[in-house]
Amino acid sequence: MAQTDTKTQPLLDIRNLKTYFYTDDGVVRAVNGVSLSIDPGKTLGVVGESGCGKSITAFSTMRLIPSPPGKIEDGQILFRESPSADAIDLTQLNAKGPQMRSIRGNDIAMIFQEPMTSLSPVHTIGNQIGEAIMLHQNVDKKEARERSIEALNKVRLPRPDRQVDAYPHELSGGMRQRAMIAMALSCSPNLLIADEPTTALDVTVQAQILDLMQNLQDEIGMAIMLITHDLGVVASMADHVAVMYLGKVVEYSDVRTIFKKPRHPYTKGLLNSLPKIGQKQRLIPIEGSIPDPFEVPSGCTFAPRCPHATDKCKEEPQLLEVETGHQVSCWLEVK
Ligand SMILES: Nc1ncnc2c1ncn2[C@@H]1O[C@H](COP(=O)(O)OP(=O)(O)O)[C@@H](O)[C@H]1O
Ligand SMILES: [Mg+2]
């Protein structure tokens, strides 16, 4: 993707990543040749139906794939700790070693759909944020508590000086999400990976959390990998979009192009199933469903659901640039 880009050096540049799971029933090629990049301070929306490998791409980047049964089989995850630094290939680091541990937390932070995944139910919010702060910054317990309160204030949790002593179950879903964001951002990461961060929240709270993330992004200047199946969220947040289908990126472009001039039939299908504000039209979902992970079709994996499929689609299309900055993997685009 950004191989020839000499203007801006990407913060994160994933190239041909393959992450497989070796299960008793066979091999799941969860991520099967993903390439995508994110520039410093920008937001990349990663979209696609459930099961297409979004989370596994994120977990691979954090080097948090459970192994076994998972394994990064191929590819590079190039990450720059600062704009002038040389890129480090995260796939080459020891997942549990000091360098990767320092990158996780200091440079790359991750938040999830369900805050309880990252918040411990038996410790107060303040202790958990404080732990993260003490782990990465050289401060004592008292100072860590002060900084935790500051962090909670920043994510606009009401009465942070009291909530700092609350346990996660004492907070509402939206407040827990704020606390998790506070924990993730307490070390000012360069990259925030947000995996469906608002899916579990109601629409009003969702808008508040997205707003909060955007404000914090402006303040800290971090880049965001925003994983979601919600194209509405992508439209309002992302600079660029990677559309994933069955472990691959099938279309990549700036957000405007994705919405105005989508080219991949899968992207068009996703857009057709998006409700339009003020319009009471029926949603047109994409025909069929994602195949069983053990029975992925050869060739173009979307062909069985594609209204334009031809014999050519028995061969695998490559992700190719169809205009500057716009990549599509579809035989319709190969002239
Ligand atoms: N621990 C695991 N063992 C086996 N298969 C897995 C495991 N984790 C994820 N997968 C499979 O990897 C594929 C991609 O999953 P995921 O990245 O979670 O999808 P998404 O986040 O896009 O919904 C799915 O087919 C899923 O079943
Ligand atoms: Mg997921």
Side-chain angles (χ1 to χ4, degrees), residues 161-181:
D161 49 334
R162 284 180 53 190
Q163 303 282 29
V164 73
D165 296 319
Y167 288 88
H169 72 265
E170 297 176 293
L171 304 179
S172 70
M175 286 187 188
R176 276 205 289 268
Q177 205 69 343
R178 283 174 196 269
M180 180 168 64
I181 293 173

Side-chain angles (χ1 to χ4, degrees), residues 1-17 33-39 75-78 80 87 252 318-321 325 327:
M1 179 156 312
Q3 278 131 334
T4 55
D5 189 354
T6 48
K7 295 184 300 289
T8 321
Q9 299 268 33
L11 174 72
L12 179 74
D13 190 3
I14 299 180
R15 297 181 185 175
N16 193 35
L17 179 68
V34 161
S35 297
L36 54 83
S37 69
I38 308 180
D39 285 340
Q76 294 175 302
I77 302 175
L78 303 174
R80 258 170 241 284
Y252 173 91
Q318 299 300 309
L319 187 65
L320 298 173
E321 190 152 69
Q327 300 171 323

Side-chain angles (χ1 to χ4, degrees), residues 243-260:
V243 180
M244 282 187 66
Y245 189 73
L246 282 181
K248 290 194 168 74
V249 172
V250 295
E251 184 157 13
Y252 173 91
S253 190
D254 61 274
V255 67
R256 205 186 140 77
T257 303
I258 288 288
F259 282 87
K260 298 276 180 217

Side-chain angles (χ1 to χ4, degrees), residues 51 54-56 195-196 227:
K54 304 183 297 296
S55 294
I56 299 304
D195 189 359
E196 310 265 4
I227 296 173

Side-chain angles (χ1 to χ4, degrees), residues 73-102:
E73 280 295 350
D74 198 7
Q76 294 175 302
I77 302 175
L78 303 174
F79 178 73
R80 258 170 241 284
E81 285 174 295
S82 75
S84 55
D86 288 336
I88 304 166
D89 184 357
L90 303 184
T91 66
Q92 297 305 309
L93 300 183
N94 175 353
K96 296 187 175 125
Q99 194 175 5
M100 196 58 228
R101 280 215 312 269
S102 155

Side-chain angles (χ1 to χ4, degrees), residues 287-303:
E287 292 265 331
S289 55
I290 285 199
D292 185 312
F294 302 109
E295 282 165 32
V296 172
S298 59
C300 172
T301 53
F302 186 60

Side-chain angles (χ1 to χ4, degrees), residues 13-29:
D13 190 3
I14 299 180
R15 297 181 185 175
N16 193 35
L17 179 68
K18 295 185 179 172
T19 304
Y20 297 171
F21 288 94
Y22 295 86
T23 72
D24 291 344
D25 300 318
V27 181
V28 180
R29 294 176 172 81

Side-chain angles (χ1 to χ4, degrees), residues 59-319:
F59 282 108
S60 301
T61 304
M62 292 293 275
R63 297 298 313 278
L64 290 174
I65 296 292
S67 172
K71 184 159 187 260
I72 295 180
E73 280 295 350
D74 198 7
Q76 294 175 302
I77 302 175
L78 303 174
F79 178 73
R80 258 170 241 284
E81 285 174 295
S82 75
S84 55
D86 288 336
I88 304 166
D89 184 357
L90 303 184
T91 66
Q92 297 305 309
L93 300 183
N94 175 353
K96 296 187 175 125
Q99 194 175 5
M100 196 58 228
R101 280 215 312 269
S102 155
I103 288 173
R104 256 192 320 260
N106 273 332
D107 300 305
I108 310 178
M110 186 161 172
I111 58 176
F112 307 86
Q113 172 177 340
E114 179 39 72
M116 293 312 258
T117 329
S118 38
L119 294 174
S120 152
V122 297
H123 295 105
T124 64
I125 298 292
N127 277 345
Q128 297 184 56
I129 301 176
E131 278 296 318
I133 290 173
M134 284 194 291
L135 191 67
H136 296 288
Q137 299 171 30
N138 190 20
V139 296
D140 62 18
K141 228 172 169 164
K142 187 160 168 284
E143 176 70 24
R145 185 184 160 86
E146 291 297 313
R147 292 199 190 178
S148 304
I149 295 173
E150 259 172 53
L152 292 173
N153 196 27
K154 221 176 192 174
V155 296
R156 286 185 242 114
L157 196 78
R159 291 176 299 145
D161 49 334
R162 284 180 53 190
Q163 303 282 29
V164 73
D165 296 319
Y167 288 88
H169 72 265
E170 297 176 293
L171 304 179
S172 70
M175 286 187 188
R176 276 205 289 268
Q177 205 69 343
R178 283 174 196 269
M180 180 168 64
I181 293 173
M183 188 156 88
L185 299 190
S186 57
C187 299
S188 305
N190 297 329
L191 174 64
L192 174 70
I193 300 178
D195 189 359
E196 310 265 4
T198 59
T199 304
L201 305 173
D202 69 51
V203 177
T204 320
V205 182
Q206 173 172 340
Q208 289 168 359
I209 296 289
L210 293 175
D211 208 36
L212 171 70
M213 280 173 49
Q214 209 144 35
N215 288 341
L216 293 170
Q217 179 177 38
D218 293 343
E219 205 174 298
I220 304 175
M222 67 189 175
I224 301 178
M225 183 196 287
L226 179 62
I227 296 173
T228 175
H229 60 264
D230 185 338
L231 280 164
V233 168
V234 164
S236 68
M237 294 279 291
D239 299 294
H240 286 85
V241 183
V243 180
M244 282 187 66
Y245 189 73
L246 282 181
K248 290 194 168 74
V249 172
V250 295
E251 184 157 13
Y252 173 91
S253 190
D254 61 274
V255 67
R256 205 186 140 77
T257 303
I258 288 288
F259 282 87
K260 298 276 180 217
K261 288 192 292 176
R263 298 236 198 163
H264 197 286
Y266 181 61
T267 311
K268 291 180 187 171
L270 285 179
L271 285 165
N272 277 340
S273 56
L274 183 70
K276 308 228 171 18
I277 291 166
Q279 255 174 281
K280 274 202 177 160
Q281 65 174 26
R282 255 193 56 193
L283 304 183
I284 313 160
I286 305 170
E287 292 265 331
S289 55
I290 285 199
D292 185 312
F294 302 109
E295 282 165 32
V296 172
S298 59
C300 172
T301 53
F302 186 60
R305 299 172 71 186
C306 181
H308 309 289
T310 64
D311 263 1
K312 187 74 186 154
C313 307
K314 288 182 183 140
E315 288 169 50
E316 190 185 337
Q318 299 300 309
L319 187 65

